[in-house]
Amino acid sequence: MRIHNFSAGPAALPEAVLKQAQDEQLDWQGVGASVMEISHRDKKFIDVAEAAESDLRDLMNIPANYKVLFLQGGATTQFAQVPMNIAAPEQTGDYVITGAWGQKAAKEAASLVKVNIAADPGNFPVDSFAKANTYIDVPDVDTWKLTKDAAYVHITPNETIHGVEMHSIPKLDAPIVADMSSNILSREINVADYGLIYAGAQKNIGPSGILVMIVRDDLLARQPRKIPAIFNYAKHAENGSMLNTPPTYAWYVAGLVFKWIKAQGGVAEIAKRNAAKAASLYSYIDSSDFYRNEVAVRARSRMNVPFFLPNSELDAAFLKGADGAKLMGLKGHRDVGGMRASIYNAVTQESVDALISYMKDFAAKA
Ligand code: PMP
């Protein structure tokens, strides 16, 4: 039996995708070799890469004036690569910080551009989230201190550690750059609301090692400073994201996940399921006088649900029992403590129900 997987990332993948990858492992498409054993320049692999892009374009309705790139280095590399590609050193990048990942993005950018912290309930640069869970809401847009003529405004629509999600995206003058690592493809979005979207694969897309970027043509064309080709988005775009050897196996699995989402009924259907999964877990937590979630209701994440027991001395027993009940990955991030259930696209309602049932049993016995 497979375990109920609530890991924050790398995270659960759809079982059907894993089975298909398994079936095709030794002999992919009659080649007599695995897809990971062939050249990335082989026509058959180019077909995989192109199908992944076109399926993603369908799923997200990506307009023609946006390029789709498949890059390496994870979201962390983008914390640096974004300013390199779209802002000159004397320009300002505005950062709206709603948790630890946005904070890291701003810190990385600070050596490349002028960083303006437009909003930060955690009071950057103090690492206060380590002491108290200060990120529990998204500040109202009219409190954001945006810079006139900013090169971009960076946001993290879903903060994975704190379970804080932006449920609406404002219209701003500067292009919005969004780190969607933990909520891409979880809900319908309007790509045209953004200048640039990036997302590490290891939550809703596939294995770690590959990153999806969706970037508007005018941002690609900026070229504000001299940078090596390997960091240059435009060069990656010109070369079909194959300036060097890409992580071919991760790309192939991402392609299978895109086809799986299509087969489920697309992002609209997935979003419906995600809303139902999250609603069932939050409504149980809210109804219980044992567990609590501290995030403002308007900012609660549909992907990552942190929750606390009445005191942290119960945490070890909770996790031990969860292990016995085949519930994996529930330990909260060390900066926040408590528990966290990550309920990405591949996590089923059945797994969420199993978690709720275990939580009820534990609370009754504690
Ligand atoms: N941004 C967000 C929102 C994340 O959740 C993570 C990883 N959990 C990262 C960035 C960092 O990703 P990576 O480790 O792939 O660089």
Side-chain angles (χ1 to χ4, degrees), residues 170-235:
K171 295 254 179 287
L172 304 175
D173 294 336
I176 295 180
V177 171
D179 173 3
M180 275 191 208
S181 294
S182 53
N183 71 345
I184 193 166
L185 292 167
S186 69
R187 60 192 303 163
E188 291 176 289
I189 63 155
N190 179 19
V191 172
D193 290 343
Y194 304 84
L196 186 157
I197 293 168
Y198 63 91
Q202 63 268 23
K203 290 110 165 49
N204 272 337
I205 294 175
S208 58
I210 199 160
L211 170 133
V212 166
M213 172 165 295
I214 302 162
V215 52
R216 210 171 58 207
D217 288 341
D218 59 297
L219 297 186
L220 271 190
R222 280 189 179 179
Q223 306 281 323
R225 61 176 97 203
K226 211 166 153 43
I227 53 173
I230 197 68
F231 299 131
N232 187 316
Y233 296 153
K235 293 273 188 279

Side-chain angles (χ1 to χ4, degrees), residues 287-344:
S287 73
S288 139
D289 49 19
F290 188 82
Y291 302 102
R292 70 181 195 283
N293 167 278
E294 296 183 342
V295 178
V297 171
R298 66 175 188 174
R300 283 175 164 180
S301 168
R302 298 181 186 191
M303 296 282 99
N304 311 95
V305 182
F307 59 90
F308 297 89
L309 279 61
N311 68 68
S312 56
E313 276 135 47
L314 293 165
D315 289 358
F318 182 90
L319 289 168
K320 189 156 181 271
D323 207 35
K326 301 237 175 293
L327 307 165
M328 182 177 83
L330 289 168
K331 191 171 190 316
H333 190 278
R334 61 189 178 280
D335 289 338
V336 172
M339 304 296 145
R340 171 178 48 169
S342 295
I343 48 176
Y344 299 120

Side-chain angles (χ1 to χ4, degrees), residues 157-172:
N158 187 67
E159 279 286 354
T160 321
I161 293 174
H162 307 274
V164 171
E165 186 166 6
M166 293 183 182
H167 294 286
S168 66
I169 301 298
K171 295 254 179 287
L172 304 175

